[in-house]
Amino acid sequence: MSSPFFSIVIPTYNRQDFILKTIGSVLNQTFKDFEIIVVDNCSTDDTEDLLTPLIQSGAIRYIKHDRNYERAASRNTGMKNAHGRFLTFLDSDDILYPNNLETAYHFIKSHPNAKFFHSLYELIDTEGKVLYRYRFPSVKNAIQAITEGNFISCIGFFVAEEVYTYYSFDTSEVLQGIEDWEFSMRILARYPIARIPYINAGIVHHGSRSNTQFKLESYVSKMDYVVGKFKRDPLLQRIYGKHLNRFRRSCFLLIASQANTSGFYDIASKYVRKAWLDNPMLIFNTRFLRIAQISFMRIKGKL
């Protein structure tokens, strides 16, 4: 039996209300040469029962962990069990638009040297209504761009077999929440990223995605972990050394932005100040000014 062209890895944990729609968005692709690998992180809801017909029909491959290891380990399990020439990830509450894989296939055929590429995505509600269209930086200086924010994310992200069999997600508990950002940064150190300039996927916004004060401020330790790790690695230090301060500022602004969205304006203001003190020239940065305005004027944070 020949290997599929694409492997779609779907990590899941207690997403019984979303996962069938997520998988359906893959099964409805116009391009059909793929495998779906669902890695269940020991769900305690009815996920497995819902997926049983798809498992029995062979529509998906189902792997269940013996306990909850978080998404990084689930993605690693998916990569280890994948057979596709290219692999992409899909969270179990998000969706691929119907021509996602077909567009990626034609891109690969016309860019045979591309080993790492992504397409664009947008934020939608549970009914598919567009809530927000993200602004994506140019990939001409992808190293600088990735230290300013994880524009690659973990949706619409494709890697060739030679990449996904070499790299794995860092499963350190301290990194949970930005493990995909750190993963992309490491790959970018060796492989340039290409882009399909079309919106081909949707991140679904719903009430189960929430932040707490502790969760937000834990990003400081995540940031310190990445900075320390990259400084110890000769390749990563050479590629990212001069960009690590920018990465720190970006983490401060990420905390502030998410705090605004959750209504934690005091936290947002605190990290806006930290970013500004690190680089006063941020007053000329549109994103900084938008986040600062929301946090200090206590305007309801927008998605």
Side-chain angles (χ1 to χ4, degrees):
M1 183 177 178
S2 61
S3 298
F5 196 89
F6 292 110
S7 294
I8 298 92
V9 173
I10 304 177
T12 190
Y13 177 69
N14 286 354
R15 289 296 190 212
Q16 64 179 23
D17 294 334
F18 300 95
I19 192 167
L20 289 180
K21 189 171 183 179
T22 295
I23 293 174
S25 77
V26 183
L27 295 175
N28 289 331
Q29 289 293 299
T30 55
F31 184 87
K32 300 296 185 181
D33 188 9
F34 59 79
E35 64 176 352
I36 301 173
I37 304 170
V38 176
V39 182
D40 188 342
N41 221 0
C42 204
S43 293
T44 58
D45 63 3
D46 293 330
T47 292
E48 186 171 359
D49 290 339
L50 286 172
L51 296 182
T52 295
L54 294 172
I55 299 167
Q56 293 176 343
S57 70
I60 66 172
R61 292 167 59 200
Y62 178 78
I63 302 169
K64 187 170 185 177
H65 282 161
D66 58 345
R67 65 180 178 87
N68 188 280
Y69 294 97
E70 292 297 338
R71 288 179 305 180
S74 294
R75 289 170 177 153
N76 287 343
T77 296
M79 288 192 290
K80 289 176 183 176
N81 286 276
H83 302 301
R85 289 177 56 187
F86 280 80
L87 178 145
T88 188
F89 297 101
L90 181 63
D91 283 352
S92 58
D93 48 1
D94 296 331
I95 63 171
L96 300 183
Y97 294 165
N99 65 343
N100 185 295
L101 297 182
E102 182 175 4
T103 303
Y105 174 80
H106 289 301
F107 181 84
I108 292 164
K109 291 302 181 182
S110 61
H111 298 78
N113 294 323
K115 306 298 181 184
F116 179 33
F117 65 92
H118 81 126
S119 57
L120 309 184
Y121 50 88
E122 59 193 358
L123 188 70
I124 61 176
D125 66 16
T126 54
E127 302 301 318
K129 179 183 176 182
V130 177
L131 298 175
Y132 185 75
R133 289 243 166 91
Y134 297 98
R135 301 175 182 90
F136 293 88
S138 169
V139 293
K140 290 182 179 178
N141 189 345
I143 295 297
Q144 177 174 319
I146 196 69
T147 58
E148 293 176 345
N150 186 21
F151 66 90
I152 299 172
S153 190
C154 230
I155 185 170
F157 162 124
F158 292 84
V159 284
E161 185 176 13
E162 68 185 67
V163 181
Y164 76 74
T165 54
Y166 179 81
Y167 285 92
S168 61
F169 283 85
D170 187 328
T171 58
S172 171
E173 289 186 7
V174 72
L175 199 59
Q176 291 174 15
I178 65 167
E179 74 284 345
D180 53 345
W181 191 359
E182 188 268 349
F183 181 70
S184 294
M185 288 173 70
R186 281 189 285 120
I187 295 177
L188 266 180
R190 292 183 182 272
Y191 294 92
I193 189 165
R195 172 178 290 165
I196 298 174
Y198 305 114
I199 297 174
N200 278 336
I203 296 176
V204 179
H205 179 71
H206 53 84
S208 298
R209 284 177 162 158
S210 61
N211 288 309
T212 63
Q213 179 174 337
F214 172 79
K215 181 178 178 181
L216 287 167
E217 298 213 78
S218 71
Y219 276 88
V220 176
S221 59
K222 303 177 196 300
M223 171 191 72
D224 290 339
Y225 178 90
V226 173
V227 170
K229 178 178 178 177
F230 280 34
K231 283 183 175 180
R232 292 189 299 271
D233 184 290
L235 172 64
L236 297 177
Q237 169 62 22
R238 178 169 60 83
I239 299 296
Y240 287 103
K242 67 180 181 180
H243 299 287
L244 290 177
N245 284 338
R246 182 183 295 106
F247 172 72
R248 289 178 61 87
R249 293 191 296 271
S250 299
C251 287
F252 290 150
L253 291 180
L254 172 64
I255 296 170
S257 178
Q258 294 194 1
N260 279 336
T261 301
S262 301
F264 298 123
Y265 299 113
D266 289 340
I267 296 176
S269 301
K270 172 182 174 181
Y271 286 97
V272 165
R273 290 190 186 96
K274 283 180 175 288
W276 177 77
L277 288 171
D278 193 64
N279 181 12
M281 296 302 290
L282 281 174
I283 60 171
F284 299 106
N285 181 281
T286 302
R287 178 178 177 236
F288 171 82
L289 291 174
R290 184 172 65 251
I291 294 171
Q293 181 184 38
I294 295 171
S295 62
F296 286 106
M297 297 182 69
R298 300 195 172 219
I299 302 169
K300 183 174 175 59
K302 296 195 179 199
L303 295 168

